Short mmCIF file of all heavy atoms in Angstrom, two decimals:
data_model
loop_
_atom_site.label_atom_id
_atom_site.label_comp_id
_atom_site.label_asym_id
_atom_site.label_seq_id
_atom_site.Cartn_x
_atom_site.Cartn_y
_atom_site.Cartn_z
N LEU Z 982 157.91 93.01 40.41
CA LEU Z 982 158.27 93.50 39.08
C LEU Z 982 159.21 94.68 39.23
O LEU Z 982 159.20 95.38 40.26
CB LEU Z 982 157.03 93.93 38.29
CG LEU Z 982 156.08 92.84 37.79
CD1 LEU Z 982 154.85 93.47 37.16
CD2 LEU Z 982 156.79 91.93 36.79
N LEU Z 983 160.01 94.91 38.21
CA LEU Z 983 160.87 96.09 38.14
C LEU Z 983 160.12 97.24 37.47
O LEU Z 983 159.41 97.03 36.48
CB LEU Z 983 162.15 95.78 37.36
CG LEU Z 983 163.15 94.86 38.08
CD1 LEU Z 983 164.03 94.14 37.08
CD2 LEU Z 983 163.99 95.67 39.07
N VAL Z 984 160.27 98.43 38.02
CA VAL Z 984 159.65 99.62 37.42
C VAL Z 984 160.70 100.31 36.56
O VAL Z 984 161.81 100.57 37.02
CB VAL Z 984 159.13 100.57 38.52
CG1 VAL Z 984 158.59 101.86 37.91
CG2 VAL Z 984 158.06 99.87 39.35
N PRO Z 985 160.40 100.63 35.31
CA PRO Z 985 161.40 101.24 34.42
C PRO Z 985 161.93 102.57 34.95
O PRO Z 985 161.22 103.32 35.63
CB PRO Z 985 160.63 101.45 33.11
CG PRO Z 985 159.51 100.47 33.17
CD PRO Z 985 159.13 100.37 34.61
N GLY Z 986 163.20 102.82 34.61
CA GLY Z 986 163.80 104.12 34.88
C GLY Z 986 164.12 104.81 33.57
O GLY Z 986 163.79 104.30 32.50
N TYR Z 987 164.78 105.96 33.64
CA TYR Z 987 165.10 106.71 32.43
C TYR Z 987 166.19 105.99 31.64
O TYR Z 987 167.24 105.62 32.17
CB TYR Z 987 165.57 108.12 32.78
CG TYR Z 987 166.15 108.87 31.60
CD1 TYR Z 987 165.33 109.27 30.54
CD2 TYR Z 987 167.51 109.14 31.52
CE1 TYR Z 987 165.85 109.94 29.45
CE2 TYR Z 987 168.05 109.82 30.43
CZ TYR Z 987 167.20 110.20 29.39
OH TYR Z 987 167.73 110.87 28.31
N THR Z 988 165.96 105.77 30.35
CA THR Z 988 166.93 105.14 29.47
C THR Z 988 167.61 106.19 28.63
O THR Z 988 166.97 106.85 27.81
CB THR Z 988 166.25 104.09 28.56
OG1 THR Z 988 165.58 103.12 29.37
CG2 THR Z 988 167.28 103.38 27.70
N SER Z 989 168.92 106.36 28.83
CA SER Z 989 169.69 107.35 28.08
C SER Z 989 170.13 106.77 26.75
O SER Z 989 170.04 105.55 26.53
CB SER Z 989 170.91 107.77 28.89
OG SER Z 989 171.83 106.69 28.99
N CYS Z 992 172.44 103.83 26.96
CA CYS Z 992 171.97 102.68 27.72
C CYS Z 992 171.37 101.65 26.78
O CYS Z 992 170.15 101.55 26.60
CB CYS Z 992 170.96 103.12 28.76
SG CYS Z 992 170.70 101.90 30.06
N THR Z 1334 167.19 88.88 36.71
CA THR Z 1334 167.36 90.33 36.87
C THR Z 1334 166.85 90.78 38.22
O THR Z 1334 167.47 91.63 38.89
CB THR Z 1334 166.62 91.08 35.75
OG1 THR Z 1334 166.80 90.40 34.51
CG2 THR Z 1334 167.14 92.50 35.62
N LEU Z 1335 165.72 90.24 38.65
CA LEU Z 1335 165.19 90.59 39.97
C LEU Z 1335 166.15 90.17 41.08
O LEU Z 1335 166.39 90.93 42.03
CB LEU Z 1335 163.83 89.92 40.18
CG LEU Z 1335 162.62 90.66 39.62
CD1 LEU Z 1335 161.40 89.76 39.64
CD2 LEU Z 1335 162.34 91.93 40.42
N ALA Z 1338 168.92 92.65 41.10
CA ALA Z 1338 168.45 93.95 41.57
C ALA Z 1338 168.24 93.95 43.08
O ALA Z 1338 168.45 94.96 43.76
CB ALA Z 1338 167.15 94.33 40.86
N LYS Z 1419 168.28 89.14 27.66
CA LYS Z 1419 167.07 89.62 28.34
C LYS Z 1419 167.44 90.43 29.58
O LYS Z 1419 166.86 91.48 29.86
CB LYS Z 1419 166.17 88.45 28.74
CG LYS Z 1419 165.53 87.71 27.60
CD LYS Z 1419 164.66 86.58 28.13
CE LYS Z 1419 164.09 85.70 27.04
NZ LYS Z 1419 163.29 84.57 27.61
N VAL Z 1420 168.42 89.91 30.35
CA VAL Z 1420 168.86 90.61 31.55
C VAL Z 1420 169.40 91.99 31.18
O VAL Z 1420 169.05 93.01 31.79
CB VAL Z 1420 169.92 89.80 32.30
CG1 VAL Z 1420 170.53 90.62 33.44
CG2 VAL Z 1420 169.32 88.51 32.85
N LYS Z 1421 170.25 92.04 30.17
CA LYS Z 1421 170.83 93.32 29.74
C LYS Z 1421 169.75 94.28 29.25
O LYS Z 1421 169.79 95.48 29.55
CB LYS Z 1421 171.85 93.08 28.64
CG LYS Z 1421 173.13 92.38 29.09
CD LYS Z 1421 174.08 92.19 27.92
CE LYS Z 1421 175.38 91.53 28.35
NZ LYS Z 1421 176.32 91.38 27.21
N SER Z 1422 168.79 93.76 28.50
CA SER Z 1422 167.72 94.59 27.98
C SER Z 1422 166.89 95.18 29.13
O SER Z 1422 166.54 96.37 29.12
CB SER Z 1422 166.83 93.77 27.05
OG SER Z 1422 165.78 94.55 26.53
N THR Z 1423 166.59 94.35 30.12
CA THR Z 1423 165.82 94.84 31.27
C THR Z 1423 166.61 95.87 32.05
O THR Z 1423 166.05 96.87 32.52
CB THR Z 1423 165.45 93.66 32.19
OG1 THR Z 1423 164.74 92.68 31.45
CG2 THR Z 1423 164.58 94.13 33.34
N MET Z 1424 167.91 95.64 32.21
CA MET Z 1424 168.75 96.63 32.90
C MET Z 1424 168.70 97.97 32.19
O MET Z 1424 168.64 99.03 32.83
CB MET Z 1424 170.18 96.11 33.01
CG MET Z 1424 170.33 94.97 34.01
SD MET Z 1424 171.97 94.18 34.00
CE MET Z 1424 173.02 95.54 34.52
N CYS Z 1425 168.71 97.95 30.85
CA CYS Z 1425 168.61 99.20 30.09
C CYS Z 1425 167.25 99.88 30.33
O CYS Z 1425 167.17 101.11 30.44
CB CYS Z 1425 168.81 98.93 28.60
SG CYS Z 1425 170.50 98.48 28.17
N ASN Z 1426 166.19 99.07 30.44
CA ASN Z 1426 164.89 99.64 30.77
C ASN Z 1426 164.91 100.31 32.13
O ASN Z 1426 164.14 101.27 32.37
CB ASN Z 1426 163.80 98.56 30.76
CG ASN Z 1426 163.54 97.99 29.39
OD1 ASN Z 1426 163.29 96.80 29.23
ND2 ASN Z 1426 163.57 98.83 28.34
N CYS Z 1427 165.77 99.81 33.01
CA CYS Z 1427 165.89 100.40 34.34
C CYS Z 1427 166.89 101.56 34.37
O CYS Z 1427 167.12 102.17 35.42
CB CYS Z 1427 166.31 99.34 35.35
SG CYS Z 1427 165.08 98.04 35.60
N GLY Z 1428 167.52 101.83 33.21
CA GLY Z 1428 168.43 102.96 33.11
C GLY Z 1428 169.82 102.71 33.65
O GLY Z 1428 170.52 103.66 34.04
N VAL Z 1429 170.26 101.43 33.69
CA VAL Z 1429 171.58 101.12 34.24
C VAL Z 1429 172.34 100.21 33.28
O VAL Z 1429 171.74 99.52 32.45
CB VAL Z 1429 171.46 100.42 35.62
CG1 VAL Z 1429 170.76 101.33 36.61
CG2 VAL Z 1429 170.72 99.08 35.50
N THR Z 1430 173.67 100.20 33.43
CA THR Z 1430 174.52 99.38 32.56
C THR Z 1430 175.49 98.50 33.35
O THR Z 1430 176.42 97.94 32.78
CB THR Z 1430 175.31 100.25 31.57
OG1 THR Z 1430 176.07 101.21 32.31
CG2 THR Z 1430 174.38 100.96 30.60
N SER Z 1431 175.30 98.38 34.66
CA SER Z 1431 176.14 97.50 35.47
C SER Z 1431 175.31 96.96 36.62
O SER Z 1431 174.30 97.55 37.01
CB SER Z 1431 177.37 98.24 36.01
OG SER Z 1431 176.99 99.18 37.00
N ASP Z 1434 175.08 99.33 39.69
CA ASP Z 1434 174.11 100.41 39.45
C ASP Z 1434 172.68 99.89 39.51
O ASP Z 1434 171.77 100.60 39.97
CB ASP Z 1434 174.37 101.06 38.09
CG ASP Z 1434 175.59 101.97 38.10
OD1 ASP Z 1434 176.07 102.30 39.20
OD2 ASP Z 1434 176.07 102.34 37.01
N LEU Z 1435 172.46 98.66 39.04
CA LEU Z 1435 171.13 98.07 39.14
C LEU Z 1435 170.72 97.94 40.60
O LEU Z 1435 169.59 98.28 40.98
CB LEU Z 1435 171.11 96.70 38.46
CG LEU Z 1435 169.81 95.91 38.54
CD1 LEU Z 1435 168.70 96.59 37.75
CD2 LEU Z 1435 170.01 94.47 38.04
N GLN Z 1436 171.64 97.45 41.43
CA GLN Z 1436 171.33 97.27 42.85
C GLN Z 1436 171.09 98.61 43.55
O GLN Z 1436 170.28 98.69 44.48
CB GLN Z 1436 172.48 96.52 43.53
CG GLN Z 1436 172.63 95.08 43.03
CD GLN Z 1436 173.91 94.42 43.49
OE1 GLN Z 1436 174.82 95.10 43.99
NE2 GLN Z 1436 174.00 93.11 43.33
N LYS Z 1437 171.76 99.63 43.07
CA LYS Z 1437 171.63 100.95 43.70
C LYS Z 1437 170.38 101.69 43.23
O LYS Z 1437 169.72 102.38 44.03
CB LYS Z 1437 172.88 101.78 43.37
CG LYS Z 1437 172.87 103.18 43.95
CD LYS Z 1437 174.14 103.93 43.56
CE LYS Z 1437 174.13 105.37 44.10
NZ LYS Z 1437 175.36 106.09 43.67
N ASN Z 1438 170.02 101.55 41.96
CA ASN Z 1438 168.99 102.40 41.38
C ASN Z 1438 167.68 101.70 41.03
O ASN Z 1438 166.71 102.37 40.64
CB ASN Z 1438 169.53 103.07 40.11
CG ASN Z 1438 170.74 103.94 40.39
OD1 ASN Z 1438 170.79 104.64 41.40
ND2 ASN Z 1438 171.74 103.89 39.52
N ALA Z 1439 167.63 100.38 41.14
CA ALA Z 1439 166.41 99.66 40.74
C ALA Z 1439 165.22 100.08 41.59
O ALA Z 1439 165.34 100.34 42.79
CB ALA Z 1439 166.63 98.16 40.86
N LYS Z 1440 164.07 100.13 40.94
CA LYS Z 1440 162.80 100.35 41.64
C LYS Z 1440 161.97 99.08 41.48
O LYS Z 1440 161.73 98.64 40.36
CB LYS Z 1440 162.07 101.56 41.05
CG LYS Z 1440 162.80 102.88 41.26
CD LYS Z 1440 162.01 104.06 40.73
CE LYS Z 1440 161.94 104.06 39.21
NZ LYS Z 1440 161.25 105.26 38.68
N ILE Z 1441 161.57 98.52 42.60
CA ILE Z 1441 160.89 97.23 42.60
C ILE Z 1441 159.52 97.38 43.23
O ILE Z 1441 159.38 98.03 44.27
CB ILE Z 1441 161.72 96.18 43.37
CG1 ILE Z 1441 163.11 96.02 42.73
CG2 ILE Z 1441 161.00 94.84 43.40
CD1 ILE Z 1441 164.04 95.13 43.52
#
Side-chain angles (χ1 to χ4, degrees):
L982 289 174
L983 288 155
V984 176
Y987 170 69
T988 303
S989 68
C992 198
T1334 320
L1335 276 168
K1419 292 180 186 178
V1420 172
K1421 290 180 178 182
S1422 180
T1423 304
M1424 288 172 63
C1425 290
N1426 293 142
C1427 295
V1429 299
T1430 56
S1431 70
D1434 285 347
L1435 176 67
Q1436 294 169 346
K1437 179 180 178 182
N1438 300 321
K1440 294 183 291 184
I1441 301 174

